[in-house]
Amino acid sequence: MRIDPKTIENVSKELYIRALKILPPDVKRGFDTLAAKETSSTAQNVLGTMIKNISIAEATENLLCQDTGIPIYNVTIGRGVQFGEGDGTALKAALRKGCERATREHPLRSSIVHPLTRKNEHTSCGIGVPVIYIDHADAAEGVTVEMIPKGSGSENNSWLKMALPAEGVDAIKTFVVDCVLDAGGKTCPPTIIGVGIGGTADLCVHLAKIAATRALGTQCADPEGAKLETELSEAVNMLGVGPQGLGGDSTAFAVHVELAATHITMNPVAVNMQCHSARRASATITDAGVTYGF
Amino acid sequence: MTHHHLTTPITEAQARALRVDDTVTLQRTLYGIRDATQIAMFDRGRNTRFDLAGHAVIHTAPNVKKVAPSPQHPTGYAPVCIGTTTSARMERFTRPLMQHYGVRLVIGKGGLGAASLAAFGELGGAYLAIIGGTAALETTWIEAIEDVDLDDLNPESLWRFRIRDFGPLRVAMDSHGGSLYDAVDLKARDKRAAVLATLGVKSR
Ligand code: SF4
């Protein structure tokens, strides 16, 4: 199949709106898991309000959260897709157009401004935004588009530390715990704490974002990374920050780790958080049509 | 822990009666304010025609829809989704809001810092925590957008909302030096060493 820009545009628009309104089932289950274990009555109350909000958003077909975020589109080009000359440019333009249409036609608050003039074009678009990543994979058929409206409350709490090899894994663990303490209630906990380990500085931060936006219940592909996820997930929930930073056990749904090889002189670690409005939506486009999911 | 029903504007005594962990439900009027609004007001010398004395402000920038002006939508804006943003970015504006405009209550998420806590104590005010990220619910507490000022800053305009049964909100910072955020933070930092020990981190 060839990529049809009009289909991509419609999918892009639809995904932005869907992501803002329907929370993925894994995140809903995450809430139930936390609520079942929470021992603080304040925190139970806060979690209860969050759970109520999810059903009100669905019943009233309204946005879960007013923050329409920074729009991110992750595109995976799979088997059977002919990717010819000009297709890449057309694909990006179509994603952008869909994002703009969602903003104008729904309408949505455009949260995007020029970084120096702070001018808002009221399109949710600007230089380099939406953020678009294009990758290739043979595992799936057709084109998969994942949309993530990344909330700023959590994004504003992002960190990178170029630790030293001599500081070892201890530096990574300590850094994650300290980031959770610094974030307090500002990230709208319970969060998914994304930890990037290794790579270059920019890759490390990107890995943290991939980790933070991965579905709950999934694991790091590397066994050492997966082990660290389990240890850190338990540890951060012992701090007592709690939902909204008002105290309690439910500080994080989970800690997710993504890693890459790094240089002999380097030991980089990055943290990026996803708030409880852990929104994402995806669509797969094949010859048979478009299927929406999470 | 007391529950307070407050109709805005409120008096200093009403603000000072609020204690950390009390809950509040607000009625009548609420003002929406955000980063750009306050940068314009306090750094760029712009004024608002609204009288904020005794009022509550919420850290927000709503999703709105343009409609034909009508008695229900006098500004030509209908609310779509109204929620709350992280307060910490706007820490330095709490005192001028209270001093110059007489604001008594700040509603937000994630809490404010030491300078705001001092302002609440000296001038008589409180911070009411709303649950961030629950905007679909919050929108049901807002009846209408009554008026808007500084709208060239849209969506970070200064909004006047008509509200009904807005809450329950939790008093998280009061005029008596109490801050729920400080208390939680202190306790969490106390646990840091023990948590690192469970992770097998050796202190060097
Ligand atoms: S941090 Fe997330 S849940 Fe909280 S206000 Fe921002 S987008 Fe919404």
Side-chain angles (χ1 to χ4, degrees):
Chain A
M1 62 175 269
R2 280 295 287 271
I3 290 168
D4 172 19
K6 196 67 206 170
T7 309
I8 297 283
E9 180 186 317
N10 291 335
V11 163
S12 162
K13 176 194 161 186
E14 184 66 23
L15 282 177
Y16 195 1
I17 295 168
R18 280 178 73 96
L20 291 173
K21 293 185 174 181
I22 313 164
L23 209 59
D26 55 284
V27 183
K28 290 182 187 169
R29 282 196 298 275
F31 269 110
D32 295 339
T33 310
L34 289 179
K37 284 192 299 200
E38 181 57 62
T39 57
S40 144
S41 62
T42 302
Q44 275 293 357
N45 225 296
V46 175
L47 290 174
T49 305
M50 290 170 175
I51 293 167
K52 186 171 163 194
N53 182 66
I54 299 167
S55 47
I56 291 181
E58 284 180 19
T60 58
E61 292 184 33
N62 203 349
L63 317 184
L64 289 148
C65 179
Q66 85 293 339
D67 185 6
T68 46
I70 288 209
I72 304 173
Y73 289 90
N74 296 318
V75 183
T76 311
I77 298 174
R79 267 185 289 122
V81 182
Q82 286 161 4
F83 201 72
E85 201 182 322
D87 282 354
T89 316
L91 172 65
K92 284 190 188 173
L95 287 170
R96 198 180 170 91
K97 188 85 187 294
C99 179
E100 192 177 323
R101 276 184 52 209
T103 309
R104 290 194 200 280
E105 291 171 23
H106 181 276
L108 302 170
R109 183 188 87 186
S110 169
S111 309
I112 305 304
V113 292
H114 185 281
L116 297 175
T117 65
R118 311 301 291 181
K119 190 171 184 318
N120 191 326
E121 302 291 345
H122 295 282
T123 55
S124 297
C125 298
I127 302 168
V129 174
V131 180
I132 298 172
Y133 292 105
I134 300 176
D135 202 357
H136 294 264
D138 288 330
E141 204 187 322
V143 178
T144 303
V145 183
E146 179 187 54
M147 199 283 154
I148 294 161
K150 186 62 171 62
S152 67
S154 49
E155 190 68 7
N156 265 334
N157 291 265
S158 304
W159 299 265
L160 169 70
K161 184 183 169 84
M162 302 306 282
L164 304 174
E167 296 172 312
V169 181
D170 278 8
I172 294 169
K173 292 176 175 174
T174 307
F175 187 64
V176 173
V177 168
D178 286 341
C179 288
V180 175
L181 288 172
D182 286 349
K186 297 197 294 282
T187 46
C188 273
T191 52
I192 303 171
I193 298 165
V195 182
I197 300 171
T200 52
D202 58 330
L203 176 58
C204 191
V205 174
H206 185 59
L207 289 171
K209 168 68 49 59
I210 294 174
T213 54
R214 222 174 62 200
L216 285 174
T218 57
Q219 263 196 339
C220 178
D222 179 87
E224 287 302 316
K227 215 170 85 190
L228 195 58
E229 283 181 339
T230 314
E231 279 180 50
L232 285 171
S233 295
E234 275 179 35
V236 296
N237 280 345
M238 289 161 61
L239 290 169
V241 174
Q244 292 290 307
L246 296 170
D249 311 312
S250 310
T251 304
F253 291 109
V255 177
H256 285 173
V257 171
E258 288 291 320
L259 48 80
T262 194
H263 191 275
I264 44 174
T265 62
M266 287 165 59
N267 186 17
V269 51
V271 173
N272 181 260
M273 295 193 185
Q274 177 62 299
C275 52
H276 73 84
S277 213
R279 300 162 292 178
R280 42 168 232 279
S282 81
T284 303
I285 308 159
T286 60
D287 278 331
V290 182
T291 340
Y292 286 98
F294 295 95
Chain B
M1 292 206 299
T2 316
H3 185 71
H4 306 257
H5 287 276
L6 296 176
T7 303
T8 57
I10 65 163
T11 63
E12 178 174 351
Q14 282 176 304
R16 289 201 184 272
L18 303 174
R19 298 269 177 175
V20 157
D21 258 340
D22 285 357
T23 47
V24 175
T25 304
L26 289 178
Q27 308 289 354
R28 195 183 295 159
T29 305
L30 176 63
Y31 288 92
I33 202 159
R34 208 182 162 107
D35 308 59
T37 338
Q38 297 181 85
I39 291 167
M41 286 163 71
F42 300 117
D43 295 350
R44 307 212 167 125
R46 293 191 56 188
N47 278 312
T48 171
R49 58 185 165 83
F50 293 156
D51 178 6
L52 303 177
H55 276 285
V57 297
I58 184 165
H59 290 147
T60 187
N63 288 258
V64 296
K65 198 193 305 206
K66 278 211 165 96
V67 293
S70 65
Q72 171 64 13
H73 305 299
T75 57
Y77 287 121
V80 173
C81 183
I82 301 175
T84 310
T85 192
T86 313
S87 300
R89 297 191 310 272
M90 291 165 270
E91 166 72 3
R92 72 182 170 93
F93 300 122
T94 308
R95 183 175 287 272
L97 267 179
M98 296 184 69
Q99 218 152 34
H100 302 317
Y101 288 98
V103 166
R104 291 274 171 219
L105 302 171
V106 179
I107 303 169
K109 72 167 182 87
L112 286 165
S116 298
L117 191 60
F120 293 141
E122 282 165 43
L123 303 164
Y127 179 85
L128 310 179
I130 198 160
I131 312 302
T134 60
L137 171 66
E138 206 175 314
T139 306
T140 65
W141 303 337
I142 294 185
E143 285 193 327
I145 296 173
E146 276 187 336
D147 205 349
V148 61
D149 194 16
L150 308 176
D151 200 29
D152 54 303
L153 304 172
N154 190 298
E156 299 183 68
S157 322
L158 183 52
W159 302 90
R160 191 168 86 210
F161 304 120
R162 188 171 73 235
I163 53 169
R164 201 183 52 191
D165 299 337
F166 197 94
L169 311 166
R170 183 172 298 263
V171 180
M173 297 168 75
D174 64 22
S175 61
H176 312 280
S179 163
L180 205 49
Y181 301 99
D182 286 354
V184 170
D185 186 59
L186 221 65
K187 267 208 256 171
R189 285 185 196 274
D190 260 359
K191 290 187 191 139
R192 179 179 180 273
V195 168
L196 290 178
T198 68
L199 286 165
V201 174
K202 290 177 201 67
S203 43
R204 267 184 253 269

